[in-house]
């Protein structure tokens, strides 16, 4: 078996999914056509293709939000019980088969509390409508990505908060832009103009009228409020919808390009030849030097979803930019900014907030360098949430137990550290939080004079050793022996800029993300298209995952599969005794191995052992599967027999074959 694989990012997983269902070439073609300025008028055929629908199911299933039911009370697991043909037919019927066209079911409204005491409305569509939205998103995304600005980072493949923070640091420190214009759009997701959005999609050459009609119906889906009333929206994109982030980027993409046209992509730059740096960014320094002698406003935008900052060189330029952008948003996008939260900040004198960080410039010698912390709201929220979770460790909630509460605490610590480690002074912030949390831990987790916190406990995992093994602050719970991760044991990480050469929709761009699949892709696609008859969609999807996870090899013998007829998908716990089509209950083996797992006849066992010639380790793997299938283990020297004397092909085996 090959060496243990490195952990993959979400983006890499999605790329793999597209390759599994043979959709990557289709997405690449859409991206290339969009770059060439072609018009798209027949996208519904691609959206409703069998492969795209099954890919949408797989992507939704991998999202933790798939277990949240909508107004129809259904989850993704309910769809997984249907066959692939049934799922495909149902989606096509929902979109095209209705008498009055596609009509989404009502969206369940849920209010999410915010740190300031207010709530953020979240819309939860029904699971079938989510599947339809995912199908649309997968096809629209490569078309839109080819036309999006390089200065937006939110909800886009291969882009992240880290890239946005890196761009902000670079513009402040290296480019010497000391004035930041902070913008806050009032209720952006609730105030998007539907007609304007459809026109923007049309301008991106998405001119399939049937698709635009479906998108408009998605935007106007009725909302079931918590009080039981139903509202019919006339504007806005529902937060929580799968397609909403993409549509939000479509709306603000016009803003990105307008700001770029003022300076970065001003027509003046066309008169100057420029090259690219190592990151793939164009070098335009000669053009910028010439433009600084004009009245043009020097401005650079860094946008993450609806949260964006514009950086300028002088106070005058920043003030003019604030007025110009505010007016432009009002006139072109019909959006208002919040006067209380929109301001100009000189980062040499005060902090500027962005994406949960507060950033400023400090004098160091003759230069200014970036200094950043957790923002004040995040600092208070983290301290409160961790201290509250310590109380849950002392008094565990029903069904979770002490060990479960400790693991939740540790996951919170790791999440906080992973996100805020981009701040230069994160060790100071986490150190202050750590002192408070440690005090609460010591006070809460003690009984009389004895403390439940010990310096020794269970063996740490490889990840825990790598991350916290050298920490002297690491403690263990006495009873469960689970470690308590120290919040203060964290180091600053330099944020990495987004590499322009990286692209999910070109072969060269994907090579920067991951290596090619080291499996038989032809056989993989055959397996994907092979009929599963009455089997569930979950079974068919997990079969593909197993083929990749096992590197196209038998789980027992380690031999590569050569043809589709050799591949048998075995239920570790047979369905006849309660086994399910879950990933963890399935394994791919060679056909004779599958026969041997279920065999009970002495002659059958001997014949397969002779043919397969299993060594000791292979026999051990086989016996584990036999034990799970309620069969006695096989002794290599003298096969064990049961009281049954029929042939080894059980009903379960016949179904799998």
């Amino acid at each position: 078996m090959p060496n243990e694989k490195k952990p993959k990012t979400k983006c890499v997983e999605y790329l793999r999914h597209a390759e599994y269902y043979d959709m990557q070439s289709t997405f690449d073609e859409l991206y290339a056509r969009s770059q060439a300025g072609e018009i798209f008028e027949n996208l519904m055929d691609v959206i409703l293709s069998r492969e795209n629908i099954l890919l949408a199911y797989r992507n939704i299933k991998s999202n933790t939000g798939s277990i949240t039911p909508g107004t129809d009370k259904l989850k993704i697991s309910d769809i997984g019980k249907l066959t692939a043909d049934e799922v495909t037919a149902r989606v096509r019927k929902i979109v095209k088969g209705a008498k009055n066209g596609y009509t989404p079911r009502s969206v369940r409204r849920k209010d999410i509390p915010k740190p300031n005491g207010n709530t953020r409305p979240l819309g939860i569509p029904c699971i079938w409508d989510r599947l339809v939205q995912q199908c649309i998103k997968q096809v629209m995304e490569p078309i839109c990505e080819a036309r999006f600005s390089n200065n937006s980072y939110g909800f886009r493949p291969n882009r992240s908060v880290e890239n946005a923070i890196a761009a902000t640091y670079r513009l402040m420190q290296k480019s010497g832009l000391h004035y930041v214009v902070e913008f806050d759009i009032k209720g952006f997701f609730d105030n998007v103009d539907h007609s304007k959005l459809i026109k923007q999609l049309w301008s991106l050459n998405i001119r399939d009228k049937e698709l635009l009609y479906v998108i408009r119906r998605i935007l106007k889906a009725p909302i079931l409020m918590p009080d039981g009333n139903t509202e019919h929206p006339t504007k806005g994109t529902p937060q929580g919808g799968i397609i909403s982030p993409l549509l939000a980027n479509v709306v603000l993409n016009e803003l990105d390009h307008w700001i770029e046209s003022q300076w970065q992509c001003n027509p003046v730059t066309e008169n100057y030849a420029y090259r690219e740096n190592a990151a793939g960014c164009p070098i335009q320094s000669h053009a910028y030097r010439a433009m600084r002698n004009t009245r043009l406003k020097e401005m650079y935008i860094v946008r993450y979803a609806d949260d964006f900052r514009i950086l300028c060189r002088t106070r005058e330029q920043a003030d003019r930019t604030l007025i110009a952008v505010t007016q432009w948003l009002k006139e072109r996008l019909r959006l208002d900014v919040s006067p209380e939260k929109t301001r100009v900040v000189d980062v040499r004198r005060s902090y500027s907030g962005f994406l949960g960080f507060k950033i400023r410039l400090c004098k160091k010698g003759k230069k200014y360098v970036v200094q950043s912390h957790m923002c004040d709201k995040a600092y208070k929220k983290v301290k409160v949430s961790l201290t509250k979770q310590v109380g849950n460790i002392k008094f565990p909630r029903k069904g979770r137990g002490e060990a479960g509460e400790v693991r939740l605490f540790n996951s919170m610590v790791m999440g906080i550290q992973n996100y805020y480690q981009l701040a230069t002074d994160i060790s100071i912030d986490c150190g202050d939080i750590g002192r408070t949390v440690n005090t609460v831990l010591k006070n809460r987790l003690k009984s009389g004079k004895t403390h439940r916190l010990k310096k020794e406990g269970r063996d740490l995992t490889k990840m825990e050793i790598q991350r916290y093994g050298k920490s002297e602050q690491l403690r263990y719970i006495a009873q469960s022996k689970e470690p308590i991760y120290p919040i203060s044991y964290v180091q600053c990480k330099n944020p990495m800029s987004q590499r322009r050469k990286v692209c999910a929709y070109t072969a060269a761009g994907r090579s920067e993300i991951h290596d090619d699949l080291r499996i038989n892709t032809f056989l993989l696609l055959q397996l994907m298209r092979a009929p599963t008859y009455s089997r569930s969609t979950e079974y068919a999807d997990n079969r593909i995952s197993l083929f990749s996870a096992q590197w196209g090899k038998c789980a027992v013998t380690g031999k590569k599969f050569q043809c589709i007829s050799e591949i048998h998908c075995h239920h570790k716990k047979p369905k006849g005794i309660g086994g399910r089509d879950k990933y963890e209950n399935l394994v791919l083996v060679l056909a004779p191995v599958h026969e041997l797992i279920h065999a009970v006849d002495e002659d059958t066992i001997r014949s397969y052992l002779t043919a397969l010639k299993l060594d000791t380790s292979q026999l051990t793997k086989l016996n584990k599967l036999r034990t799970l299938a309620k069969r006695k283990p096989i002794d290599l020297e003298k096969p064990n027999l049961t009281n049954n004397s029929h042939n080894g092909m059980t009903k379960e085996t016949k179904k799998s074959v």
Side-chain angles (χ1 to χ4, degrees):
M1 294 294 288
N3 295 330
E4 184 180 357
K5 293 189 293 184
K6 296 180 180 179
K8 301 295 183 182
T9 63
K10 199 76 171 178
C11 177
V12 175
E13 290 178 359
Y14 280 179
L15 286 178
R16 298 290 195 196
H17 298 175
E19 291 169 344
Y20 296 161
Y21 282 96
D22 199 26
M23 289 297 296
Q24 192 61 63
S25 58
T26 302
F27 297 155
D28 292 354
E29 182 186 357
L30 292 172
Y31 182 84
R33 289 173 59 192
S34 181
Q35 279 191 317
E38 292 189 24
I39 295 173
F40 300 90
E41 295 180 331
N42 299 296
L43 291 174
M44 290 304 294
D45 293 338
V46 182
I47 291 172
L48 297 179
S49 65
R50 185 178 187 271
E51 290 79 10
N52 191 56
I53 293 172
L54 296 179
L55 174 61
Y57 165 80
R58 183 181 183 88
N59 286 333
I60 291 178
K61 187 180 73 169
S62 63
N63 193 328
T64 54
S66 62
I67 62 175
T68 305
T71 55
D72 58 356
K73 308 298 183 182
L74 297 178
K75 304 177 183 178
I76 194 66
S77 57
D78 297 303
I79 294 180
K81 296 175 183 177
L82 304 176
T83 66
D85 291 337
E86 288 173 337
V87 173
T88 303
R90 179 72 180 273
V91 171
R92 291 172 178 173
K93 184 178 180 180
I94 290 173
V95 177
K96 286 191 169 185
K99 183 178 179 181
N100 299 319
Y102 174 65
T103 306
R105 301 188 69 169
S106 58
V107 177
R108 181 165 70 92
R109 172 65 66 86
K110 186 176 181 180
D111 295 326
I112 307 298
K114 297 171 67 175
N116 59 5
N118 297 329
T119 58
R120 176 182 288 107
L122 184 69
I124 305 172
C126 294
I127 193 63
W128 285 104
D129 293 324
R130 272 182 270 178
L131 192 61
V132 172
Q133 291 189 30
Q134 181 66 34
C135 291
I136 296 172
K137 175 182 177 291
Q138 289 168 177
V139 174
M140 282 182 53
E141 192 169 64
I143 299 172
C144 296
E145 277 294 317
R147 308 289 293 275
F148 280 166
S149 167
N150 286 322
N151 293 313
S152 69
Y153 299 92
F155 304 110
R156 294 181 60 186
N158 310 305
R159 294 168 182 262
S160 63
V161 170
E162 180 179 0
N163 303 145
I165 294 297
T168 306
Y169 286 1
R170 185 184 70 253
L171 291 170
M172 285 183 178
Q173 184 170 307
K174 292 187 176 181
S175 300
L177 303 171
H178 300 160
Y179 294 91
V180 178
V181 188
E182 298 180 350
F183 284 94
D184 182 84
I185 301 176
K186 285 184 179 179
F188 170 72
F189 285 93
D190 295 329
N191 292 287
V192 170
D193 188 274
H194 293 172
S195 299
K196 179 65 178 178
L197 173 57
I198 297 299
K199 291 178 182 177
Q200 289 174 317
L201 290 172
W202 189 273
S203 68
L204 293 175
N205 291 337
I206 300 176
R207 300 182 183 182
D208 187 330
K209 295 182 179 180
E210 188 178 0
L211 172 59
L212 296 177
Y213 169 80
V214 172
I215 292 174
R216 186 178 284 276
R217 297 302 294 266
I218 291 173
L219 294 172
K220 295 186 178 296
I223 301 173
L224 181 64
M225 306 300 290
D227 58 4
N229 295 324
T230 301
E231 294 185 358
H232 297 271
T234 57
K235 58 182 181 178
T237 61
Q239 293 189 70
I242 291 175
I243 201 173
S244 293
L246 177 62
L247 297 179
N249 278 328
V250 169
V251 172
L252 293 177
N253 183 56
E254 190 175 347
L255 170 67
D256 299 335
H257 287 297
W258 178 75
I259 291 177
E260 289 173 355
S261 70
Q262 304 300 304
W263 187 262
Q264 286 179 277
C265 300
N266 193 285
V268 175
T269 61
E270 297 176 0
N271 301 325
Y272 295 83
Y274 58 89
R275 64 185 189 278
E276 292 184 349
N277 60 17
C281 303
I283 300 174
Q284 300 172 303
S285 54
H286 295 295
Y288 293 160
R289 267 194 295 270
M291 292 162 63
R292 289 190 183 106
N293 296 323
T294 67
R295 288 283 295 168
L296 293 172
K297 298 184 291 294
E298 185 174 2
M299 60 175 77
Y300 302 83
I301 186 172
V302 180
R303 183 174 66 81
Y304 192 94
D306 63 324
D307 196 2
F308 66 96
R309 299 292 182 264
I310 298 177
L311 292 92
C312 302
R313 192 167 297 279
T314 65
R315 180 74 192 211
E316 181 191 1
Q317 291 175 346
D319 291 336
R320 292 168 59 197
T321 297
L322 189 151
I323 297 170
V325 173
T326 301
Q327 186 177 352
W328 190 93
L329 286 170
K330 180 69 176 178
E331 294 178 355
R332 295 297 298 267
L333 302 184
R334 303 164 193 169
L335 296 171
D336 296 319
V337 301
S338 173
E340 300 83 13
K341 299 180 180 179
T342 301
R343 58 174 187 161
V344 176
V345 179
D346 184 352
V347 290
R348 294 170 297 181
R349 292 182 171 87
S350 56
Y351 286 101
S352 173
F354 188 42
L355 299 176
F357 299 85
K358 59 178 186 180
I359 311 168
R360 63 171 297 175
L361 292 174
C362 293
K363 191 82 171 185
K364 188 176 182 180
K366 297 182 179 180
K367 298 180 179 180
Y368 284 96
V369 296
V370 165
Q371 183 186 54
S372 56
H373 294 266
M374 298 170 61
C375 70
D376 297 336
K377 286 184 180 179
Y379 180 88
K380 294 177 183 176
K381 184 180 178 181
V382 167
K383 184 180 287 188
V384 170
S385 61
L386 288 179
T387 52
K388 182 180 178 181
Q389 185 58 27
V390 171
N392 293 333
I393 295 175
K394 183 178 181 179
F395 301 107
R397 289 165 289 183
K398 186 178 179 181
R400 192 179 292 273
E402 184 185 78
E405 297 290 2
V406 172
R407 285 192 288 270
L408 179 57
F409 177 89
N410 290 340
S411 66
M412 293 167 63
V413 169
M414 287 188 63
I416 294 164
Q417 292 175 338
N418 289 341
Y419 186 86
Y420 290 105
Q421 64 182 346
L422 304 176
T424 60
D425 291 345
I426 185 60
S427 59
I428 298 174
D429 298 336
C430 285
D432 293 340
I433 295 171
R435 280 188 284 273
T436 302
V437 172
N438 289 337
T439 301
V440 175
L441 276 169
K442 291 177 181 178
N443 292 334
R444 291 287 183 93
L445 301 182
K446 70 177 181 180
S447 302
K449 296 182 179 181
T450 60
H451 288 271
R452 292 169 61 188
L453 291 178
K454 305 296 182 182
K455 292 186 177 182
E456 294 181 353
R458 68 164 174 81
D459 294 336
L460 299 178
T461 64
K462 187 177 180 181
M463 181 279 297
E464 291 170 338
I465 294 174
Q466 185 179 2
R467 190 155 183 163
Y468 304 106
K470 296 181 180 179
S471 174
E472 296 180 358
Q473 307 171 33
L474 190 66
R475 294 294 184 270
Y476 301 82
I477 303 294
Q479 187 174 356
S480 63
K481 300 190 181 298
E482 287 288 326
I484 296 281
Y485 297 168
I487 180 68
S488 55
Y489 193 75
V490 61
Q491 289 183 329
C492 169
K493 174 190 174 185
N494 292 326
M496 301 297 294
S497 299
Q498 193 270 333
R499 294 180 294 171
R500 301 292 173 85
K501 294 180 180 179
V502 174
C503 179
Y505 304 111
T506 63
R510 284 193 300 277
S511 66
E512 300 284 331
I513 305 173
H514 66 78
D515 298 329
D516 294 332
L517 286 172
R518 288 178 287 172
I519 57 176
N520 188 336
T521 53
F522 177 76
L523 192 56
L524 173 67
L525 297 178
Q526 276 193 315
L527 185 65
M528 183 269 291
R529 296 189 177 101
T532 53
Y533 302 108
S534 60
R535 293 291 189 181
S536 67
T537 303
E538 185 178 20
Y539 171 87
D541 184 72
N542 287 332
R543 201 169 56 161
I544 300 170
S545 299
L546 287 166
F547 188 88
S548 175
Q550 295 177 200
W551 300 90
K553 299 178 181 179
C554 172
V556 174
T557 65
K559 294 182 179 179
K560 284 189 175 183
F561 298 115
Q562 300 298 325
C563 60
I564 194 71
S565 61
E566 290 183 343
I567 306 174
H568 280 207
C569 188
H570 167 68
H571 289 77
K572 297 177 183 177
K573 183 179 181 182
K575 298 194 72 174
I577 57 175
R580 302 173 68 183
D581 293 335
K582 297 288 186 181
Y583 177 87
E584 57 272 12
N585 192 45
L586 300 175
V587 66
L588 297 185
V589 293
L590 290 168
V593 174
H594 197 193
E595 296 278 2
L596 186 54
I597 293 172
H598 293 281
V600 294
D601 183 75
E602 180 180 3
D603 294 334
T604 304
I605 294 174
R606 290 185 188 277
S607 61
Y608 280 123
L609 286 176
T610 303
L612 292 169
K613 298 179 180 178
L614 302 178
D615 58 27
T616 305
S617 64
Q618 293 169 343
L619 185 69
T620 302
K621 296 176 183 177
L622 176 74
N623 282 333
K624 286 182 180 179
L625 295 175
R626 282 183 62 88
T627 302
L628 292 171
K630 305 299 181 182
R631 296 288 185 267
K632 287 188 177 182
I634 298 172
D635 188 343
L636 190 60
E637 301 296 330
K638 184 181 179 181
N640 292 318
L641 303 177
T642 65
N643 295 327
N644 300 321
S645 60
H646 56 77
N647 63 34
M649 182 69 76
T650 64
K651 188 181 292 185
E652 171 64 18
T653 308
K654 291 178 180 178
K655 286 184 178 180
S656 297
V657 174

